[in-house]
Amino acid sequence: MKKPRTASAAKAKKGRKTSAGRSAPKRLTKRPAKPPRRAASGDGGAIENVRATIRGLRAKLKEAQLRVAELEAAADTDFLLEIPNRRGFERELARAIAYMKRYRASGALIVLDVDRLKPINDSFGHAAGDEVLKAIVATLTRQVRASDVVGRLGGDEFALLLWNLSETDAKAKAAAFEQAIDELSFVFRGQHVTAGASAGVALLGAQSDAGRALEEADAAMYVRKACRRHEPQIRLVSS
């Protein structure tokens, strides 16, 4: 006759089956860090292409900036006489007055008008008038300092910005300009021709305004021109 199993034996057998059915716990292992990705052989060429593109863009930007500077300079320069035009001269005048206000400097503005340019143009053509204007500019620039500015306001009207002159010196300088231009002589179509000029003065200082200074010098110039109307308008003498 078969003996019945005891409770402890049955429990032990059940425990063995349960242990055998379970899998052993996995051990946690730390994965090694991935090495940094090396640039592929094709990536180096792409980077160099980007750098070359950047260099090209920088070169084009520099060229554009130079071109803009050239255009700005051309916009401020008289194409015939290669001196500042009205826009360029007014800019120089405004800068000079700003300097005078800051450093208590002084100067003078002279507006000069050619007296007999229209009869020369009418008699001999505008090419002759251009020759007269070029000679006048050469005469003026020879009698001013490197720091002074000679500009063309338009047509036959010029302006000069002169530094550190008293009223007496400025008026003497204006008279010297008139005399030098009066003494110029030209020969057109076998005829001897002279021009002339009238000059007006305005003093510049810390309290000056560019617009008012130009108006003052221009008004003084017309007063001076009225005083010179007794002179011959143009002399045409056969050579």
Side-chain angles (χ1 to χ4, degrees):
M1 183 174 175
K2 203 168 185 181
K3 293 181 179 180
R5 295 180 180 178
T6 62
S8 59
K11 190 179 289 187
K13 186 176 181 179
K14 185 179 179 181
R16 286 195 299 270
K17 287 182 179 180
T18 304
S19 299
R22 289 179 182 173
S23 59
K26 294 181 179 180
R27 298 179 61 187
L28 298 176
T29 57
K30 187 176 181 181
R31 293 183 181 181
K34 291 183 179 181
R37 183 173 176 266
R38 294 183 179 180
S41 58
D43 290 350
I47 292 173
E48 185 57 35
N49 288 338
V50 172
R51 290 174 177 170
T53 301
I54 292 173
R55 289 195 295 269
L57 292 173
R58 286 175 176 171
K60 289 181 179 179
L61 176 60
K62 186 175 182 180
E63 291 176 1
Q65 290 172 336
L66 290 174
R67 181 58 178 163
V68 169
E70 290 174 356
L71 292 173
E72 288 179 347
D76 290 344
T77 304
D78 185 90
F79 73 95
L80 174 66
L81 304 176
E82 297 183 348
I83 59 175
N85 57 18
R86 174 178 284 273
R87 171 179 163 172
F89 185 84
E90 288 180 349
R91 178 177 297 180
E92 292 296 325
L93 178 60
R95 288 176 178 172
I97 292 176
Y99 181 92
M100 292 174 186
K101 289 180 178 179
R102 182 172 182 180
Y103 297 103
R104 299 293 175 180
S106 62
L109 172 65
I110 296 177
V111 170
L112 184 146
D113 188 82
V114 181
D115 289 333
R116 297 185 285 270
L117 185 65
K118 187 178 185 303
I120 293 174
N121 284 331
D122 293 343
S123 299
F124 306 104
H126 286 276
D130 291 346
E131 183 176 337
V132 172
L133 292 176
K134 290 177 181 179
I136 289 173
V137 170
T139 299
L140 295 175
T141 53
R142 281 196 300 267
Q143 298 192 42
V144 298
R145 297 158 293 185
S147 59
D148 299 332
V149 182
V150 179
R152 184 184 186 186
L153 299 181
D156 55 1
E157 193 171 51
F158 296 87
L160 299 98
L161 170 61
L162 309 176
W163 288 90
N164 300 322
L165 287 182
S166 65
E167 182 176 4
T168 301
D169 291 339
K171 289 182 177 180
K173 197 70 174 176
F177 291 149
E178 289 181 350
Q179 182 179 354
I181 295 172
D182 287 345
E183 292 174 354
L184 292 176
S185 62
F186 307 89
V187 176
F188 299 124
R189 298 177 189 169
Q191 296 187 10
H192 180 79
V193 177
T194 60
S198 302
V201 178
L203 297 181
L204 300 174
Q207 306 302 320
S208 296
D209 174 79
R212 286 198 297 269
L214 280 169
E215 292 175 359
E216 182 181 342
D218 196 58
M221 179 270 294
Y222 278 108
V223 171
R224 177 62 180 155
K225 183 179 284 288
C227 295
R228 289 167 56 91
R229 291 192 186 280
H230 66 280
E231 298 181 4
Q233 296 298 306
I234 186 170
R235 295 202 303 269
L236 304 178
V237 181
S238 174
S239 60

